[in-house]
C-alpha cells in the first residue's frame, strides 16, 4: 500500500454540531483527554461567555488569535489521526460554522436531552443533508430529567428529516439513570455517578430475559428496557453502515458528557466507523483523495486581531495527494504560483510547522491578502470545489460611510471583511455605491463597526431595510428572469458575483411570489445547485 493510501485510511476529519449549551465544549474536552491531546479538564474554552458585548467578543478573538490552534484540534486515537474542527460557539457566527462543515467528512450531532432538537441544530443539519455528510448523534445530559427517549428519537427523525437508528438505549433517566444498553453489542454499560475517571463497567447481556438484568438495574427498569427494546426493534430498522455513510440515517448514542459517560464508547465507535476523507465534488469533476496530485481549498480565514499586523491565517483543507512545504503550487483564482515556507498543523493546544500534510488534514497558511474563502490550490489543474456557498443572511442593513474623508479606508475595510466572510455585501443593480450588508446575527454588525474603526480607521453606520428574507434567483428563461427583475426592481440586489438576489418581507410573501413565478428558481444559498454527490 502506498504511503498516501496508508495516511488516507488513518484520517478522520469531523466537526461537532449542536445548539449552544448542549455540551459541545464538554465533549470536545473529553475527546481530547482520551486522545491524550490535553491532560487537564478545563483546557478547552467555551465560546458562550461572550454573549455580552462586542468588546468581550473582541477580547476573546484576540485570545483566539494567539491560540488559534483551538480552531482545529488534531489528535491520535487507536491508530487514527483525528482532526476535530471547532465551530464558533456564538450563534451569531453560524455562517462560519456552515462553511467549516465543507471541510469535514462527517459530523457529530449533540442534542440536549432536556431541550430536544433546537433551532441551530436544525439549520446545521440542513447543511449536512445538502452535502450528504454522515452524522452520528449523541443525546447528552441523561443524568438530568429530560424528555422521554422515544420522544427524542421521534423528534430527531421528524425535525431533522433523517432516519434514526438507536445503537445504545438509556436505562432510566435523571436521578434514576443507570446506564445504557448497547443494542448492537448486546451489552449493558453501567453508570456510576461521580466516578468520572473509572472505565465504565460493561456486562454482556445477550438475552434481555437474562435475570442478571434485574440484578443490575432493578425489576422496574429491567421491565421497561425490555418493553422499549421490543418497541424499538419493531419501529426502527437495524443500523446499517451504508445508511450512515450516505447521510440517510444517523446512529444514536445516549450518555452524559459531564459525567464522562458514553463519550469513550462514542469515540471508539467514531474511530471504527467514521469515514476517511471523501471524494469532493468540483465544478469540473469529482476529485478523489487518493489522486497523486495535491489539491485543496480555503474554507476559513482568520484575521489577526492586532491592527499592527494585517496578516491572517487561511485554513486549507487538503482534498487529494500530498501537500508539501515549500513546493510550488497553483492558486487557481489568481492564476499565480503559490508557495509557503511555514504551513502550520494544529494539535489540541499547539501548532507546529509541518513538512507535509495529507487529505483530510487542515493546514494553516500565513496570508497577507492572497486568499479568499473558497479559493483552490492545485498542482496546476483548474478546479473549483463545490460546497462552500454563502448562506442567506437573516439581517440586512444599508451601510453608510460615516466619515466621507476616509473613503479609501472604508472601501478597503469593507472589501477585506467581505473576503474574510465576516459579512456578505450586496448592492442595488446599476447602483454599485448603494451597499447592503447581510449577516447571520446582530453581533456581526457590531463587530464590523468595531473592526472598521480599530483596524481600518473608518467609520460606518447602518440604515434599516424593510425586507428580511433573501433568495438567490436564476431561470433557464433569460427573458423571464429579466422581466422578474424589472417587476420587482425595488426588491432586487446583486451579490459580489453579480448574481441576482430577491428580497421578500415574510415567508408568506415569498411563497406567494414563488408560486406566481414558476419560471424562476429560488435558492437559499449562493451556490444555487444541489451540491453534487461525490460517488462513494
Ligand atoms: P456548549 O459548548 O455546547 O455550549 O456546552 P458546554 O459543554 O459548555 O455545556 C453547557 C452546560 O451543560 C455546562 O454547564 C456543562 O457543564 C453542562 N453539561 C454538559 N454535559 C452535561 C451532562 O452530561 N449533564 C449535565 N447535567 N450537564 C452537562 P454550565 O453550568 O453552563 O457551565 P459550567 O459552569 O459547568 O462550565
Amino acid at each position: 500500500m502506498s504511503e498516501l493510501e496508508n495516511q488516507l485510511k488513518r484520517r478522520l476529519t469531523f466537526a461537532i454540531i449542536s445548539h449552544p449549551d448542549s455540551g459541545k465544549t464538554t465533549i470536545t474536552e473529553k475527546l481530547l483527554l482520551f486522545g491524550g491531546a490535553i491532560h487537564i479538564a478545563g483546557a478547552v474554552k467555551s465560546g458562550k461567555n461572550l454573549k455580552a458585548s462586542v468588546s468581550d467578543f473582541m477580547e476573546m478573538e484576540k485570545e483566539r488569535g494567539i491560540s488559534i490552534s483551538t480552531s482545529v484540534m488534531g489528535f491520535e486515537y487507536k491508530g487514527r489521526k483525528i482532526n476535530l474542527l471547532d465551530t464558533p460557539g456564538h450563534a451569531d457566527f453560524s455562517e462560519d460554522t456552515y462553511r467549516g462543515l465543507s471541510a469535514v467528512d462527517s459530523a457529530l450531532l449533540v442534542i440536549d436531552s432536556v431541550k430536544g432538537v433546537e433551532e441551530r441544530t436544525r439549520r446545521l443539519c440542513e447543511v449536512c443533508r445538502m452535502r450528504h455528510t454522515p452524522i452520528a448523534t449523541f443525546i447528552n445530559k441523561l443524568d438530568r430529567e429530560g424528555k422521554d427517549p422515544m420522544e427524542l428519537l421521534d423528534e430527531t427523525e421528524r425535525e431533522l428529516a433523517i432516519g434514526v437508528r438507536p445503537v445504545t438505549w438509556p436505562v432510566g433517566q435523571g436521578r434514576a439513570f443507570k446506564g445504557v444498553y448497547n443494542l448492537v453489542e448486546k451489552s449493558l454499560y453501567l453508570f456510576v455517578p461521580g466516578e468520572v475517571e473509572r472505565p465504565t463497567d460493561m456486562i454482556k447481556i445477550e438475552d434481555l430475559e437474562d435475570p442478571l438484568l434485574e440484578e443490575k438495574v432493578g425489576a422496574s427498569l429491567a421491565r421497561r428496557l425490555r418493553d422499549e427494546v421490543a418497541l424499538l426493534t419493531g419501529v426502527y430498522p437495524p443500523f446499517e453502515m451504508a445508511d450512515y455513510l450516505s447521510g440517510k440515517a444517523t446512529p444514536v448514542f445516549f450518555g452524559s458528557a459531564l459525567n464522562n459517560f458514553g463519550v469513550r464508547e462514542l469515540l471508539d465507535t467514531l474511530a471504527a466507523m467514521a469515514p476517511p476523507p471523501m471524494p469532493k465534488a468540483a465544478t469540473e469533476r469529482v476529485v478523489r483523495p487518493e489522486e497523486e496530485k495535491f489539491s485543496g481549498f480555503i474554507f476559513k480565514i482568520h484575521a489577526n486581531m492586532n491592527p499592527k499586523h494585517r496578516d491572517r491565517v487561511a485554513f486549507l483543507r487538503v482534498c487529494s495527494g500530498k501537500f508539501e512545504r515549500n513546493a510550488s503550487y497553483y492558486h487557481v483564482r489568481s492564476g499565480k504560483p503559490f508557495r509557503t515556507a511555514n504551513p502550520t498543523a494544529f494539535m489540541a493546544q499547539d501548532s507546529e510547522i509541518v513538512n507535509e500534510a495529507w487529505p483530510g488534514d487542515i493546514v494553516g497558511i500565513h496570508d497577507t491578502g492572497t486568499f479568499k474563502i473558497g479559493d483552490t490550490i492545485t498542482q496546476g489543474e483548474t478546479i473549483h470545489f463545490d460546497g462552500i456557498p454563502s448562506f442567506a443572511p437573516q439581517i440586512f442593513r444599508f451601510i453608510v460611510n460615516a466619515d466621507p474623508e476616509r473613503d479609501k479606508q472604508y472601501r478597503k475595510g469593507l472589501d477585506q471583511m467581505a473576503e474574510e466572510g465576516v459579512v456578505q455585501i450586496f448592492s442595488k443593480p446599476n447602483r454599485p455605491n448603494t451597499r447592503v450588508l447581510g449577516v447571520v446575527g446582530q453581533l456581526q454588525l457590531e463587530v464590523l463597526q468595531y473592526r472598521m474603526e480599530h483596524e481600518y480607521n473608518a467609520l460606518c453606520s447602518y440604515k434599516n431595510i424593510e425586507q428580511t428574507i433573501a433568495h438567490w434567483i436564476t431561470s433557464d428563461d433569460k427573458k423571464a428572469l429579466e422581466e422578474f427583475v424589472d417587476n420587482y426592481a425595488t426588491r432586487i440586489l446583486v451579490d459580489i458575483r453579480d448574481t441576482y438576489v430577491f428580497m421578500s418581507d415574510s415567508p408568506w410573501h415569498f411563497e406567494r411570489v414563488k408560486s406566481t413565478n414558476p419560471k424562476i428558481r429560488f435558492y437559499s444559498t449562493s451556490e444555487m445547485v444541489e451540491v453534487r454527490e461525490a460517488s462513494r
Side-chain angles (χ1 to χ4, degrees):
M1 195 182 287
S2 73
E3 186 178 12
L4 176 59
E5 281 168 323
N6 246 328
Q7 295 285 358
L8 255 180
K9 256 189 23 207
R10 264 167 46 69
R11 293 291 186 287
L12 191 180
T13 304
F14 79 105
I16 301 182
I17 56 178
S18 63
H19 194 86
D21 267 358
S22 314
K24 188 179 75 162
T25 312
T26 314
I27 293 179
T28 303
E29 193 162 276
K30 298 280 146 77
L31 294 179
L32 295 179
L33 278 168
F34 295 139
I38 54 170
H39 300 288
I40 40 154
V44 180
K45 280 204 195 72
S46 159
K48 73 182 146 100
N49 54 350
L50 54 101
K51 272 176 193 128
S53 65
V54 179
S55 54
D56 287 351
F57 173 76
M58 298 315 290
E59 273 311 307
M60 194 204 77
E61 281 291 284
K62 261 189 212 155
E63 278 176 34
R64 278 174 66 109
I66 296 160
S67 62
I68 205 167
S69 54
T70 50
S71 292
V72 184
M73 291 159 276
F75 60 98
E76 295 272 339
Y77 188 77
K78 296 208 165 161
R80 286 195 88 166
K81 160 83 193 298
I82 302 185
N83 296 311
L84 169 56
L85 261 66
D86 189 24
T87 47
H90 199 290
D92 275 2
F93 286 80
S94 35
E95 185 160 1
D96 209 15
T97 309
Y98 299 152
R99 279 191 298 249
L101 289 175
S102 65
V104 300
D105 300 295
S106 65
L108 171 64
L109 165 65
V110 179
I111 294 176
D112 180 335
S113 70
V114 181
K115 305 223 181 92
V117 174
E118 295 173 87
E119 176 50 29
R120 205 155 159 226
T121 319
R122 243 174 250 128
R123 299 200 51 184
L124 289 164
C125 280
E126 229 173 87
V127 177
C128 288
R129 236 192 353 259
M130 201 171 93
R131 302 203 175 101
H132 311 281
T133 308
I135 302 177
T137 301
F138 185 74
I139 299 189
N140 190 27
K141 306 195 187 178
L142 261 289
D143 59 316
R144 295 187 54 194
E145 309 294 335
K147 292 190 178 181
D148 179 70
M150 284 289 183
E151 194 187 320
L152 283 164
L153 280 191
D154 190 43
E155 190 176 315
T156 308
E157 185 158 77
R158 196 166 13 96
E159 302 226 359
L160 305 181
I162 187 167
V164 289
R165 305 286 183 266
V167 174
T168 66
W169 192 250
V171 184
Q173 227 175 328
R175 268 190 301 270
F177 181 53
K178 286 277 189 292
V180 297
Y181 182 71
N182 188 312
L183 300 157
V184 178
E185 288 175 8
K186 303 203 181 305
S187 333
L188 182 68
Y189 288 81
L190 286 177
F191 169 59
V192 188
E195 299 244 336
V196 288
E197 296 310 330
R198 212 171 67 122
T200 316
D201 272 345
M202 193 270 272
I203 302 154
K204 198 90 190 149
I205 300 188
E206 290 280 352
D207 180 355
L208 281 176
E209 294 307 322
D210 189 336
L212 189 60
L213 186 63
E214 265 93 358
E215 205 179 290
K216 294 292 175 192
V217 304
S220 136
L221 285 177
R223 198 170 336 110
R224 185 168 162 193
L225 179 66
R226 286 179 192 127
D227 289 350
E228 286 179 337
V229 170
L231 193 64
L232 284 176
T233 32
V235 176
Y236 299 105
F239 171 69
E240 293 279 349
M241 197 65 175
D243 291 343
Y244 160 64
L245 290 178
S246 63
K248 273 197 206 106
T250 175
V252 181
F253 301 82
F254 290 83
S256 166
L258 188 64
N259 291 290
N260 219 357
F261 187 82
V263 184
R264 186 185 282 277
E265 292 74 20
L266 180 73
L267 183 58
D268 283 343
T269 313
L270 288 179
M273 74 177 194
M278 288 292 195
K280 287 255 165 215
T283 313
E284 294 78 8
R285 64 185 186 88
V286 170
V287 177
R288 307 198 154 271
E290 61 274 14
E291 290 175 20
E292 285 299 319
K293 287 199 170 160
F294 158 76
S295 71
F297 64 88
I298 305 291
F299 66 96
K300 179 185 169 91
I301 293 177
H302 195 109
N304 188 332
M305 289 293 145
N306 183 343
K308 292 200 188 83
H309 300 107
R310 193 44 64 67
D311 54 344
R312 323 186 279 191
V313 177
F315 288 78
L316 170 85
R317 147 92 197 208
V318 180
C319 296
S320 66
K322 175 183 176 182
F323 174 84
E324 282 179 288
R325 178 183 177 193
N326 280 323
S328 182
Y329 293 121
Y330 176 62
H331 179 222
V332 174
R333 187 172 49 81
S334 67
K336 290 188 181 145
F338 162 80
R339 172 199 296 265
T340 175
N342 47 8
T344 307
F346 305 97
M347 295 310 275
Q349 287 175 300
D350 279 320
S351 56
E352 55 171 14
I353 306 276
V354 285
N355 289 321
E356 58 188 39
W358 303 92
D361 283 343
I362 310 295
V363 178
I365 296 173
H366 181 85
D367 174 39
T368 47
T370 310
F371 293 114
K372 280 191 191 176
I373 287 169
D375 279 3
T376 303
I377 306 171
T378 67
Q379 271 183 259
E381 190 178 343
T382 297
I383 294 176
H384 299 89
F385 285 105
D386 294 348
I388 319 159
S390 296
F391 289 86
Q394 282 144 14
I395 301 175
F396 294 88
R397 294 281 185 277
F398 285 113
I399 180 163
V400 182
N401 181 0
D403 181 358
E405 301 262 298
R406 282 178 273 163
D407 194 51
K408 209 173 119 201
Q409 289 90 329
Y410 168 81
R411 283 169 188 280
K412 185 166 177 207
L414 216 51
D415 284 348
Q416 292 222 355
M417 234 56 93
E419 275 170 28
E420 262 178 48
V422 176
V423 291
Q424 289 183 50
I425 297 186
F426 305 89
S427 55
K428 289 263 180 197
N430 311 321
R431 280 165 61 197
N433 286 333
T434 308
R435 303 229 239 177
V436 174
L437 286 188
V439 294
V440 175
Q442 179 71 31
L443 191 61
Q444 271 167 288
L445 292 174
E446 293 166 37
V447 167
L448 179 86
Q449 249 169 348
Y450 182 101
R451 289 190 55 191
M452 288 289 274
E453 188 179 340
H454 290 84
E455 292 174 38
Y456 297 91
N457 197 19
L459 294 178
C460 62
S461 59
Y462 303 121
K463 280 207 299 206
N464 278 348
I465 180 169
E466 305 268 293
Q467 302 103 7
T468 50
I469 302 175
H471 285 92
W472 278 266
I473 52 170
T474 56
S475 176
D476 294 332
D477 183 338
K478 225 175 144 213
K479 197 156 158 276
L481 185 64
E482 277 165 20
E483 267 172 27
F484 182 86
V485 167
D486 267 0
N487 287 344
Y488 293 94
T490 56
R491 298 180 171 277
I492 300 291
L493 298 176
V494 286
D495 75 358
I496 46 170
R497 296 183 201 89
D498 278 336
T499 308
Y500 289 123
V501 176
F502 170 71
M503 303 293 297
S504 46
D505 302 335
S506 63
W508 176 81
H509 174 239
F510 168 67
E511 284 306 328
R512 198 170 46 114
V513 173
K514 187 170 170 233
S515 63
T516 47
N517 291 279
K519 288 189 175 161
I520 307 296
R521 287 203 299 272
F522 297 83
Y523 304 88
S524 54
T525 74
S526 63
E527 206 161 58
M528 304 204 295
V529 278
E530 276 286 323
V531 175
R532 263 179 292 138
E533 189 174 6
S535 48
R536 298 197 165 137

